[in-house]
């Protein structure tokens, strides 16, 4: 399946350095790379799912107040965060059945023949649709439903379709080499956080919370991030 997606990310090394710097200042010990990777994965999933919850709430509020620019901006900003996970590909059907992409979180749209939208229906509705020639699915008015890890399309004569969907973020990995008990960052074996850059402070806060450190003042994170950025610049100049 050919894949295209929006490539925004937060550098995993930067986040780890900031987390370690704050843990050190708070005298809360050390977080090993493996511990950081586990906590980072959970924090990323939390923020990923929160974006959908926040978007839904903002969209409802915007609808209630009749398109307020205030809520409109909130909706647009949240949509931008979600769009980071937008992905597209091709589904190949065998007798009307195709496997879902293995990283799918939510389907946005399925189309055939370029721009013909495939309508999503419930499995229980299919018998009713097929009961009349007027409502039975055709290549001009196809339908689909998801079942388990598969997508079933009707009519079953359709062999391929395009899918736009929201992907699950890849697990963040701070890759490293070790010698004498010291860890050295290895960019080649690392995977950055797949979150919108505006989520960086929230991400650090989440990881620290899982590590048992509650940060009430967000400027602590901003100061630590700037200090680590300055150190990184000096180390690489």
């Amino acid at each position: 399946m050919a894949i295209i997606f929006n490539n925004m990310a937060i550098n995993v090394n930067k986040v780890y350095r900031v987390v370690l710097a704050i843990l050190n200042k708070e005298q809360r010990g050390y977080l090993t790379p493996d511990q950081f990777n586990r906590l980072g994965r959970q924090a990323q999933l939390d923020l990923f799912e929160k974006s959908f919850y926040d978007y839904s709430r903002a969209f409802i509020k915007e609808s209630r107040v009749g398109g307020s620019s205030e809520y409109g901006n909130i909706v647009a900003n949240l949509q931008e965060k979600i769009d980071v996970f937008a992905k597209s590909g091709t589904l190949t059907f065998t007798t009307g059945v195709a496997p879902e992409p293995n990283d799918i979180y939510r389907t946005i749209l399925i189309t055939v023949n370029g721009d013909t939208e495939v309508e999503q229906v419930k499995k229980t509705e299919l018998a009713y649709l097929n009961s009349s020639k007027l409502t039975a699915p055709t290549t001009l008015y196809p339908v689909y439903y998801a079942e388990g890890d598969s997508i079933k399309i009707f009519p079953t004569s359709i062999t391929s379709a395009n899918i736009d969907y929201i992907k699950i973020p890849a697990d963040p990995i701070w890759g490293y080499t070790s010698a004498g008990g010291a860890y050295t960052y290895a960019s080649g074996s690392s995977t950055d956080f797949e979150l919108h850059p505006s989520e960086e402070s929230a991400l650090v806060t989440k990881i620290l919370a899982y590590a048992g450190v509650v940060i009430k003042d967000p400027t602590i994170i901003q100061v630590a991030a700037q200090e680590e950025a300055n150190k990184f610049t000096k180390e690489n100049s």
Side-chain angles (χ1 to χ4, degrees):
M1 174 166 48
I3 298 296
I4 301 172
F5 64 97
N6 191 337
N7 190 25
M8 272 192 174
I10 298 175
N11 185 271
V12 69
N13 187 39
K14 179 181 179 184
V15 173
Y16 188 32
R17 290 171 65 120
V18 172
V19 167
L20 290 180
I22 293 175
L23 287 174
N24 184 54
K25 285 185 177 181
E26 298 291 318
Q27 298 182 337
R28 297 301 294 269
Y30 182 75
L31 203 63
T32 68
D34 291 338
Q35 291 172 330
F36 170 78
N37 289 338
R38 287 196 298 271
L39 299 185
R41 176 180 180 276
Q42 187 58 53
Q44 176 172 251
L45 287 174
D46 286 350
L47 293 173
F48 171 72
E49 293 177 351
K50 184 175 182 295
S51 292
F52 290 92
Y53 175 75
D54 290 345
Y55 177 82
S56 179
R57 289 185 61 193
F59 185 82
I60 291 172
K61 287 182 179 180
E62 181 190 19
S63 301
R64 287 176 177 172
V65 298
S68 164
S69 59
E70 175 187 355
Y71 288 115
N73 289 336
I74 294 173
V75 169
N77 290 338
L78 289 169
Q79 181 67 59
E80 185 178 345
K81 290 182 180 181
I82 293 172
D83 282 347
V84 171
F85 304 99
K87 202 169 179 180
S88 63
T90 302
L91 297 172
T92 301
F93 293 92
T94 301
T95 59
V97 182
E100 283 186 329
N102 57 18
D103 60 350
I104 191 170
Y105 177 75
R106 181 177 299 178
T107 299
I108 300 172
L109 178 69
I110 295 178
T111 58
V112 295
N113 302 324
D115 58 359
T116 300
E117 182 175 346
V118 185
E119 181 183 356
Q120 183 177 17
V121 298
K122 295 178 181 178
K123 182 180 181 180
T124 53
E125 296 174 332
L126 195 60
Y128 170 77
L129 293 174
N130 283 324
S131 66
S132 169
K133 290 183 178 181
L134 295 176
T135 56
T138 67
T139 54
L140 293 178
Y141 299 100
V143 300
Y144 81 95
Y145 65 83
E147 184 174 61
D149 295 329
S150 299
I151 293 174
K152 298 190 176 183
I153 197 167
F154 302 89
T156 57
S157 58
I158 294 173
T159 58
S160 68
N162 297 319
I163 182 171
D164 295 319
Y165 65 99
I166 299 297
K167 70 183 286 292
I168 298 171
D171 291 346
I173 299 173
W174 191 84
Y176 62 90
T177 57
S178 60
Y183 300 105
T184 302
Y185 175 61
S187 60
S189 58
S190 296
T191 302
D192 288 334
F193 289 93
E194 291 186 342
L195 291 171
H196 190 277
S198 64
E199 298 276 33
E200 187 172 322
S201 291
L203 177 61
V204 171
T205 300
K206 278 277 184 185
I207 294 172
L208 288 169
Y210 278 123
V213 179
V214 178
I215 301 298
K216 295 181 179 180
D217 184 359
T219 59
I220 292 175
I221 295 175
Q222 295 168 9
V223 170
Q226 187 58 55
E227 288 177 353
E228 288 306 308
N230 293 340
K231 288 181 185 177
F232 183 80
T233 300
K234 289 180 181 179
E235 291 170 4
N236 292 273
S237 59

